[in-house]
Amino acid sequence: MELNDANLQTLTEFLRKTLDPDPSVRRPAEKFLESVEGNQNYPLLLLTLLEKSQDNVIRVCAAVTFKNYIKRNWRIVEDEPNKISDPDRTAIKANIVNLMLSSPEQIQKQLSDAISIIGREDFPQKWPDLLTEMVTRFRSGDFHIINGVLRTAHSLFKRYRHEFKSNELWSEIKLVLDTFALPLTELFKATIELCQTHATDVNALKVLFSSLTLIAKLFYSLNFQDLPEFFEDHMETWMTNFHGLLTLDNKLLQTDDEEEAGLLELLKSQICDNAALYAQKYDEEFQPYLPRFVTAIWNLLVSTGQEVKYDLLVSNAIQFLASVCERPHYKHLFEDQNTLTSICEKVIVPNMEFRSADEEAFEDNSEEYIRRDLEGSDIDTRRRAACDLVRGLCKFFEGPVTAIFSGYVNSMLAEYAKTPRENWKHKDAAIYLVTSLASKAQTQKHGITQANELVNLTEFFVNHILPDLKSPNVNEFPVLKADAIKYVMIFRSQLPKEQLLQAVPLLITHLQAESTVEHTYASHALERLFTMRGPNNTTLITAAEMAPFTEQLLNNLFKALAFPGSAENEYIMKAIMRSFSLLQESIVPYIPTLIGQLTHKLLQVSKNPSKPHFNHYLFESLCLSVRITCKANPATVSSFEEALFPVFTEILQNDVQEFLPYVFQVMSLLLEIHSNSIPASYMALFPHLLQPVLWERTGNIPPLVRLLQAYLEKGGETIARSAADKIPGLLGVFQKLIASKANDHQGFYLLNSIIEHMPPESLIQYRKQIFILLFQRLQSSKTTKFIKSFLVFVNLYCVKYGAIALQEIFDSIQPKMFGMVLEKIVIPEVQKVSGPVEKKICAVGITKILTECPAMMDTEYTKLWTPLLQALIGFFELPEDDSIPDDEHFIDIEDTPGYQTAFSQLAFAGKKEHDPIGDAVGNPKILLAQSLHKLSTACPGRVPSMLSTSLNAEALQFLQGYLQAATVQLV
């Protein structure tokens, strides 16, 4: 693509169409951009548009498209084509920093993200001048530019907060510190001076305070891994100024907005984080500064209001206290009973209250509320921070803290009892206190695993929780109902089973509550209860115990999906999946109606898939319906195909990328249920499965290979008969997969199925080419994974076509090739093969080579006979060799870049392990003994003499054991 006006014009038109709400306009435009993004100059055209276009919307759209393009394509993946040409890469790196710094803020943010994506791959080795180019801009004095640099540096360095320690990481951080620490410190001091100079200019202060916040974030990232010498030497400068900023209160920076945190709050929150980092990690060095920070942060907490805009600040400030109070040598700061009472009264209790802002979120923004409250993403909520402080204080002062809170809980419950309608928030706070104090150790799987003695949990359940769950009106006091449901869920491992069984029907009733939070919590609680394990590792609650409620449970779950806002509620869908899994065959009578609802839902969400978890559980539920019903009656598979195929066809035709891997897995499951023929509906689809575009996407590969394996298993004959022209396409897929280090094992799965299930005559013309491709790959890059797969294939070929055929095909490629393969690959590497089926195939294949291949007895290959036998006995008796050379670290599929739907394995579409040899061979050791006996009767005297001359004594002893077990002798 040339950099010219015509191309800029075309690109502008297509970018505009990608913003169109109408999918028939938007989709083709997205497809067009996808098809041209591999062309040289494409990213430079986007950069030209975002710099020069007259239309602001197009500029922003070009910036977002550019960032996503970089995200998808910048990383160079081994074995895959480089998606951005080298000239483009160089041009992007040469221009992007300047462009980012001169763009308006909206575009600056996108380009800053793009720089950090490129930086993750290329900095410092392939982009050594990035930092110096950025640092020189600090001198510009223009804070629009300075903030651009700081923002980019922040997105570049924030990964230091969660990277594992490694020499490479240390040397990168050292390089960054050498270039960046001093200019950052100078900038910090200069900015603080400017704040004093411009103390009365509100616009200047806004810019300066956003710089200070970014500087404070950078300080956190650069100090996270270890305390750098530079910052230790300059601690006085940083800490004195941080302390000054914490106590600063500039009226001009106070905002009227109650929701949105202002610059002052954001800066102070980050400083609390920085102080907590030092208090936790570098307490010795930080000791002189600690008392004044504790005082400043305490004063901050006592004087800050309840408005939402202070939430982050208050939670970070409380987190600071929490991290300080659990360190043994700060214990003395909190020992005084008055201090503890005052912390409980002034900090913990007020921040556990349910505020009107929480009530609004509960009613109007339930998704966010659930995310914060259930999934623990409420790291920055006041309640979570207050809980952490309670847990921190309990480390040394459990007795006094529990005593203080018992009083609070009782008085709050008493207040509620007086006038429930007005005082329900008191009960909410009491339940919250109980759950936060009682939960010493908590896991996702079991809920609370250790509890504190604040209240007797069972009595509390009977007296305060059950009444709320039993109240006839499920829509009254929804917050308390949600609290009660959450209590059951959190303490499920502590409560006796009879109380849980008492709760189940009540939870099922709460699925009908109008409140989204309430029916979501009820779904989640049921799902968690159904996964609990009893004493003998079966589910704690059995299908029989659920029998009286089965119909109501299924009805209410599916009805709950019809509530506004819950059409794609992942908790309800997960509960449906879990109910199916628990109830097993008792759902069969309901499936005919439920499958209609599930497929209808699938059709709706496939129009615009936006909730990956919901979609995953939806497909899991479909798999369970198929599995459970067809287990009872395999003939019902055709009625599932009738229901599902129309939707699947639509998904395939519209190329709904997120759903294809799932569709292929469900189709495999259905096809594997068929007895031994392929229905015509599947054969019609077969050619489409070989289209190269499907195989370009990593996420499609495992499920597509499995689906093709199912085709081969059920219809190898049919394919050879009616689709022989597709065999080259099938082998083309194998060829593509075998070339990739990440996917070569999938190529072998496919090849093994072709060898096992296709009629031999249909493959005659292709066999030699298959082996040549494998040898080319062995020469170009020989990895352990490839060799293990290669050995299994060679031995499967031998089992299927016989040892003579194997020897002949090797030697037809190149004379003496068979001996080279045995000597260089089979004998030294077979110990690495893993997996019971793989081992069995290799053992049977090698036995055949030893005993059914005349060339092994009387040619130059004879010298390999004993070493091969020795290798086979070692294969049986020695531990598996699982060593992997240092230079082989594979890219995991999950690790591939960009937005590609990674492959999501459906647990309930699982495939049974297939053994191509089956019952024909029970014990390969016995087979070896019998085969050697047969060989020795054919040429008497030869076998014992070969053994006695060169087999080592230990191996000979094992072999005697096999012969005795098989009750045969060698002659």
Side-chain angles (χ1 to χ4, degrees):
M1 292 173 84
E2 293 302 309
L3 275 170
N4 57 31
D5 290 346
N7 279 337
L8 287 170
Q9 191 51 43
T10 312
L11 198 53
T12 305
E13 282 161 24
F14 278 104
L15 284 172
R16 186 164 283 121
K17 286 179 184 166
T18 61
L19 303 171
D20 197 299
D22 176 0
S24 62
V25 178
R26 188 179 70 245
R27 282 251 168 84
E30 288 168 347
K31 283 268 178 286
F32 169 79
L33 291 177
E34 206 178 303
S35 70
V36 297
E37 71 172 29
N39 297 348
Q40 192 169 339
N41 289 334
Y42 172 76
L44 306 182
L45 283 162
L46 285 172
L47 288 178
T48 311
L49 275 184
L50 71 84
E51 184 185 9
K52 300 194 172 141
S53 171
Q54 298 304 303
D55 182 339
N56 223 2
V57 174
I58 293 296
R59 291 181 71 184
V60 174
C61 182
V64 174
T65 309
F66 175 79
K67 180 193 73 179
N68 292 338
Y69 162 83
I70 293 292
K71 195 170 186 177
R72 273 198 304 275
N73 301 314
W74 192 271
R75 176 183 286 183
I76 298 174
V77 180
E78 198 175 7
D79 302 328
E80 289 189 18
N82 176 354
K83 297 184 185 137
I84 304 179
S85 70
D86 288 336
D88 281 358
R89 285 175 186 271
T90 312
I92 289 170
K93 286 193 287 199
N95 295 309
I96 189 165
V97 174
N98 261 334
L99 199 53
M100 181 268 298
L101 296 176
S102 59
S103 299
E105 196 163 326
Q106 238 182 331
I107 294 171
Q108 195 178 63
K109 282 189 169 140
Q110 300 297 333
L111 290 179
S112 173
D113 284 351
I115 292 174
S116 68
I117 296 165
I118 298 171
R120 285 202 62 164
E121 301 300 323
D122 289 16
F123 176 78
Q125 277 81 14
K126 294 187 200 161
W127 201 359
D129 51 357
L130 169 64
L131 264 198
T132 38
E133 191 182 348
M134 283 166 45
V135 168
T136 51
R137 306 301 166 94
F138 283 166
R139 300 198 199 102
S140 67
D142 176 343
F143 271 85
H144 174 72
I145 291 178
I146 291 172
N147 282 353
V149 173
L150 291 172
R151 199 175 292 119
T152 307
H154 171 52
S155 57
L156 206 54
F157 303 152
K158 69 173 173 224
R159 66 187 179 88
Y160 301 156
R161 302 175 180 193
H162 43 245
E163 293 260 321
F164 288 120
K165 291 183 160 61
S166 69
N167 288 340
E168 203 181 339
L169 180 69
W170 289 100
S171 56
E172 181 181 324
I173 294 179
K174 185 177 178 325
L175 182 117
V176 169
L177 289 166
D178 291 347
T179 320
F180 206 78
L182 181 63
L184 186 71
T185 309
E186 296 301 326
L187 179 70
F188 181 48
K189 291 195 295 200
T191 312
I192 287 191
E193 279 172 24
L194 284 168
C195 289
Q196 284 152 359
T197 322
H198 296 280
T200 53
D201 176 349
V202 68
N203 292 330
L205 283 179
K206 281 182 178 168
V207 178
L208 294 168
F209 268 78
S210 44
S211 307
L212 286 172
T213 307
L214 284 163
I215 292 171
K217 287 180 181 205
L218 285 164
F219 177 89
Y220 189 86
S221 301
L222 294 174
N223 281 274
F224 190 88
Q225 289 280 343
D226 199 3
L227 177 57
E229 200 178 328
F230 179 90
F231 285 106
E232 193 177 344
D233 296 344
H234 292 78
M235 200 183 294
E236 178 66 33
T237 303
W238 284 92
M239 290 305 156
T240 312
N241 282 314
F242 277 159
H243 180 262
L245 289 167
L246 263 185
T247 50
L248 173 88
D249 188 16
N250 189 318
K251 296 282 177 279
L252 292 177
L253 285 170
Q254 289 177 352
T255 53
D256 299 334
D257 190 334
E258 291 197 359
E259 303 281 319
E260 197 69 40
L263 288 165
L264 206 53
E265 289 80 46
L266 290 173
L267 175 60
K268 289 182 179 184
S269 310
Q270 186 57 51
I271 293 174
C272 289
D273 258 357
N274 295 354
L277 176 76
Y278 265 57
Q280 270 175 315
K281 286 187 141 184
Y282 318 123
D283 44 10
E284 215 173 290
E285 295 83 355
F286 188 57
Q287 207 123 25
Y289 303 95
L290 184 88
R292 61 180 112 152
F293 272 92
V294 170
T295 314
I297 287 174
W298 172 258
N299 290 335
L300 196 72
L301 278 170
V302 182
S303 60
T304 302
Q306 284 281 2
E307 292 83 355
V308 176
K309 67 174 170 183
Y310 300 124
D311 284 6
L312 181 68
L313 174 58
V314 168
S315 69
N316 281 2
I318 296 176
Q319 289 290 1
F320 168 77
L321 288 183
S323 64
V324 172
C325 73
E326 57 182 20
R327 316 286 295 182
H329 45 265
Y330 302 143
K331 196 169 131 184
H332 61 277
L333 294 172
F334 298 90
E335 267 168 340
D336 182 13
Q337 178 73 27
N338 295 335
T339 309
L340 284 174
T341 311
S342 143
I343 289 179
C344 294
E345 186 183 318
K346 293 188 173 142
V347 176
I348 293 172
V349 173
N351 284 303
M352 284 207 176
E353 282 171 11
F354 195 77
R355 301 167 302 168
S356 50
D358 299 315
E359 201 174 346
E360 277 170 33
F362 184 95
E363 287 166 12
D364 306 330
N365 192 356
S366 47
E367 206 166 312
E368 180 59 24
Y369 181 90
I370 292 164
R371 211 177 75 223
R372 288 206 310 241
D373 190 45
L374 257 197
E375 297 172 19
S377 77
D378 59 344
I379 336 282
D380 53 357
T381 62
R382 294 172 179 241
R383 280 190 148 186
R384 166 59 58 100
C387 273
D388 288 346
L389 181 53
V390 170
R391 284 187 201 149
L393 288 169
C394 283
K395 190 167 175 182
F396 295 119
F397 315 107
E398 186 162 2
V401 170
T402 306
I404 296 169
F405 281 129
S406 287
Y408 275 111
V409 169
N410 294 331
S411 70
M412 287 170 179
L413 289 170
E415 285 295 309
Y416 166 75
K418 280 187 222 157
T419 49
R421 198 158 285 289
E422 282 75 50
N423 288 345
W424 62 267
K425 286 184 183 176
H426 289 286
K427 181 171 184 178
D428 167 80
I431 297 176
Y432 202 87
L433 260 175
V434 168
T435 45
S436 65
L437 245 183
S439 52
K440 276 195 197 164
Q442 183 167 12
T443 66
Q444 201 58 54
K445 195 168 167 197
H446 303 292
I448 300 298
T449 51
Q450 277 179 308
N452 165 301
E453 290 307 303
L454 176 64
V455 293
N456 175 318
L457 293 174
T458 314
E459 281 175 21
F460 193 85
F461 174 78
V462 173
N463 298 334
H464 300 289
I465 300 295
L466 257 184
D468 282 343
L469 288 177
K470 283 182 165 167
S471 99
N473 181 356
V474 290
N475 294 318
E476 191 181 33
F477 299 133
V479 176
L480 291 182
K481 298 278 201 309
D483 287 339
I485 297 170
K486 191 177 168 192
Y487 184 94
V488 175
M489 187 167 62
I490 287 186
F491 293 114
R492 60 184 181 277
S493 297
Q494 251 60 42
L495 296 170
K497 178 174 174 179
E498 51 276 16
Q499 290 192 340
L500 297 178
L501 283 172
Q502 205 179 348
V504 165
L506 302 173
L507 292 171
I508 292 173
T509 311
H510 282 81
L511 292 168
Q512 295 173 297
E514 285 162 19
S515 151
T516 306
V517 175
E518 199 181 325
H519 61 244
T520 301
Y521 279 22
S523 309
H524 188 47
L526 286 165
E527 189 271 330
R528 294 283 83 195
L529 293 179
F530 292 167
T531 49
M532 289 178 75
R533 294 275 159 200
N536 49 0
N537 209 25
T538 52
T539 51
L540 180 70
I541 295 174
T542 63
E545 287 165 330
M546 286 303 298
F549 319 119
T550 298
E551 187 160 338
Q552 196 197 354
L553 168 70
L554 295 171
N555 264 337
N556 287 5
L557 279 169
F558 276 87
K559 273 191 203 150
L561 287 173
F563 279 116
S566 275
E568 292 180 41
N569 184 322
E570 64 187 71
Y571 292 97
I572 300 175
M573 193 40 88
K574 192 175 187 184
I576 290 173
M577 171 190 85
R578 200 67 71 197
S579 306
F580 282 8
S581 170
L582 174 75
L583 298 167
Q584 291 293 326
E585 55 278 2
S586 38
I587 65 169
V588 172
Y590 305 102
I591 286 295
T593 48
L594 297 183
I595 198 73
Q597 296 184 43
L598 287 170
T599 43
H600 177 65
K601 182 59 80 179
L602 177 58
L603 191 60
Q604 284 173 315
V605 295
S606 70
K607 302 269 190 286
N608 183 18
S610 54
K611 296 282 180 69
H613 289 105
F614 176 87
N615 301 334
H616 187 90
Y617 300 133
L618 171 58
F619 277 103
E620 292 281 20
S621 306
L622 285 169
C623 290
L624 277 161
S625 324
V626 171
R627 274 230 135 119
I628 293 166
T629 314
C630 295
K631 186 174 161 191
N633 176 8
T636 49
V637 68
S638 56
S639 53
F640 281 107
E641 287 163 352
E642 274 168 38
L644 290 167
F645 270 35
V647 190
F648 285 180
T649 311
E650 191 154 325
I651 290 172
L652 290 165
Q653 280 170 346
N654 294 333
D655 189 28
V656 184
Q657 298 188 14
E658 296 89 330
F659 281 7
L660 294 184
Y662 291 126
V663 168
F664 298 142
Q665 286 178 82
V666 181
M667 285 180 64
S668 305
L669 181 66
L670 293 164
L671 184 49
E672 285 157 10
I673 292 167
H674 281 277
S675 42
N676 271 332
S677 61
I678 287 199
S681 53
Y682 286 87
M683 280 313 289
L685 191 64
F686 184 63
H688 299 288
L689 300 179
L690 304 175
Q691 287 172 348
V693 58
L694 284 179
W695 295 89
E696 292 301 319
R697 300 184 202 134
T698 347
N700 287 345
I701 291 174
L704 261 179
V705 167
R706 175 181 168 191
L707 181 55
L708 289 181
Q709 284 183 289
Y711 268 90
L712 289 160
E713 188 189 331
K714 300 294 176 189
E717 303 278 345
T718 318
I719 293 171
R721 202 174 48 248
S722 62
D725 57 329
K726 296 290 171 280
I727 296 175
L730 200 55
L731 293 168
V733 169
F734 150 75
Q735 184 176 354
K736 177 179 166 49
L737 294 174
I738 217 77
S740 144
K741 281 189 194 171
N743 298 315
D744 49 16
H745 60 292
Q746 297 284 349
F748 277 111
Y749 293 160
L750 185 58
L751 179 59
N752 292 346
S753 290
I754 292 173
I755 294 297
E756 190 188 341
H757 300 295
M758 294 287 285
E761 62 280 2
S762 64
L763 296 174
I764 290 172
Q765 69 210 59
Y766 306 112
R767 278 189 222 169
K768 191 167 173 182
Q769 188 53 37
I770 290 173
F771 278 92
I772 290 172
L773 285 171
L774 293 176
F775 282 125
Q776 284 169 344
R777 166 67 208 271
L778 269 174
Q779 277 172 324
S780 65
S781 67
K782 184 169 119 177
T783 63
T784 308
K785 177 164 72 116
F786 185 86
I787 285 182
K788 284 161 72 167
S789 303
F790 177 75
L791 285 168
V792 174
F793 161 70
V794 167
N795 285 299
L796 180 69
Y797 189 94
C798 178
V799 172
K800 179 81 182 167
Y801 292 133
I804 298 176
L806 182 70
Q807 177 248 318
E808 285 174 350
I809 195 157
F810 276 138
D811 286 347
S812 73
I813 293 171
Q814 189 184 320
K816 302 201 175 56
M817 175 73 100
F818 181 57
M820 285 192 275
V821 171
L822 290 180
E823 192 178 354
K824 298 280 191 300
I825 298 176
V826 180
I827 293 170
E829 305 280 8
V830 71
Q831 206 60 38
K832 291 193 167 138
V833 173
S834 52
V837 174
E838 289 82 349
K839 288 186 143 172
K840 185 174 172 185
I841 292 171
C842 288
V844 176
I846 293 173
T847 300
K848 281 182 171 294
I849 295 173
L850 286 165
T851 59
E852 294 176 15
C853 178
M856 287 299 287
M857 295 305 283
D858 41 24
T859 64
E860 70 269 31
Y861 294 155
T862 312
K863 66 177 188 296
L864 296 169
W865 193 88
T866 324
L868 184 61
L869 176 62
Q870 176 118 0
L872 177 58
I873 295 170
F875 186 52
F876 286 144
E877 305 299 344
L878 296 172
E880 181 186 313
D881 171 11
D882 53 8
S883 62
I884 284 187
D886 291 340
D887 54 350
E888 286 183 28
H889 296 290
F890 291 108
I891 294 178
D892 200 38
I893 285 200
E894 295 304 325
D895 201 27
T896 43
Y899 291 132
Q900 294 220 347
T901 15
F903 166 55
S904 301
Q905 173 80 52
L906 289 170
F908 295 111
K911 183 183 181 197
K912 288 198 287 292
E913 173 118 73
H914 167 68
D915 177 358
I917 296 170
D919 300 333
V921 176
N923 179 345
K925 296 177 185 178
I926 303 287
L927 175 75
L928 174 63
Q930 291 165 339
S931 306
L932 286 172
H933 166 70
K934 200 165 146 191
L935 176 68
S936 73
T937 49
C939 43
R942 282 286 304 279
V943 178
S945 78
M946 284 157 76
L947 294 179
S948 59
T949 52
S950 49
L951 194 68
N952 82 20
E954 208 180 345
L956 196 56
Q957 210 176 338
F958 281 123
L959 184 59
Q960 296 298 348
Y962 306 160
L963 292 163
Q964 278 166 3
T967 60
V968 292
Q969 289 172 339
L970 301 179
V971 293

